[in-house]
Amino acid sequence: MTSGFRLAQLNVGRTHYPVGDPPMTGFTGRLAEINALAEATPGYIWRLQGDSGDATGIHVFDDPLAIVNLTVWESVEQLYAFTYHTDHTEVFRLRRLWFGHWPGPHLVLWWIPAGTIPTLDEALARLDRLAADGPSPEAFTLKVTFPPPVETPIRA
């Protein structure tokens, strides 16, 4: 029996340069490839996209260099496999070329009911909760995970 919950993931970062500047080409030049890889990875469900097909143009912070990535996966294990066991790993390893220090947690995970899509407001609230309280079932990380909520049967 599968869980009635899916894993939502938000990561945020502050680029060293505007996304369209030449020093960012190593990152932006691989976005379509890495997004396609994610979409083909077992467990992938959804990702936030703007008009460009990625989320780099979606700004939720006052800082124009801050970008977000919001996705939904079937499980922590499948997100972990994509992050650390695919070609995404190379881009992840080089992230300091394009991204600087983020003040506070830059990644948060939480469980959502299957069939729902998280909002950016919800995602940012989860990131704030992680920053304030540390990992919990409501906001956690890949290093400190929690299982999906236990579903209680509906009784007639």
Side-chain angles (χ1 to χ4, degrees):
M1 182 171 144
T2 61
S3 167
F5 291 89
R6 300 297 177 256
L7 184 73
Q9 175 276 150
L10 171 75
N11 66 69
V12 296
R14 184 176 193 281
T15 59
H16 292 303
Y17 309 95
V19 170
D21 281 11
M24 293 298 295
T25 303
F27 172 73
T28 58
R30 296 207 54 196
L31 272 176
E33 168 198 349
I34 298 302
N35 286 335
L37 176 63
E39 292 171 358
T41 299
Y44 167 88
I45 296 173
W46 174 87
R47 69 182 169 87
L48 177 66
Q49 299 180 56
D51 293 337
S52 65
D54 59 51
T56 58
I58 298 172
H59 297 284
V60 295
F61 299 101
D62 291 335
D63 184 345
L65 297 179
I67 62 174
V68 298
N69 177 39
L70 180 60
T71 59
V72 176
W73 295 81
E74 288 182 12
S75 71
V76 172
E77 295 79 14
Q78 290 166 318
L79 172 61
Y80 187 92
F82 165 72
T83 303
Y84 296 109
H85 299 291
T86 67
D87 286 347
H88 174 271
T89 304
E90 180 184 350
V91 175
F92 182 71
R93 184 178 50 79
L94 296 172
R95 69 190 178 280
R96 288 182 181 81
L97 294 175
W98 310 298
F99 293 90
H101 173 73
W102 185 263
H106 61 86
L107 171 84
V108 65
L109 310 174
W110 71 101
W111 295 104
I112 60 173
T116 63
I117 299 297
T119 67
L120 275 170
D121 287 342
E122 175 187 9
L124 295 171
R126 299 290 180 146
L127 188 65
D128 289 344
R129 183 170 188 153
L130 179 63
D133 301 333
S136 70
E138 291 76 30
F140 52 95
T141 69
L142 282 171
K143 290 182 181 177
V144 179
T145 64
F146 291 85
V150 175
E151 297 177 87
T152 52
I154 298 173
R155 297 176 191 253

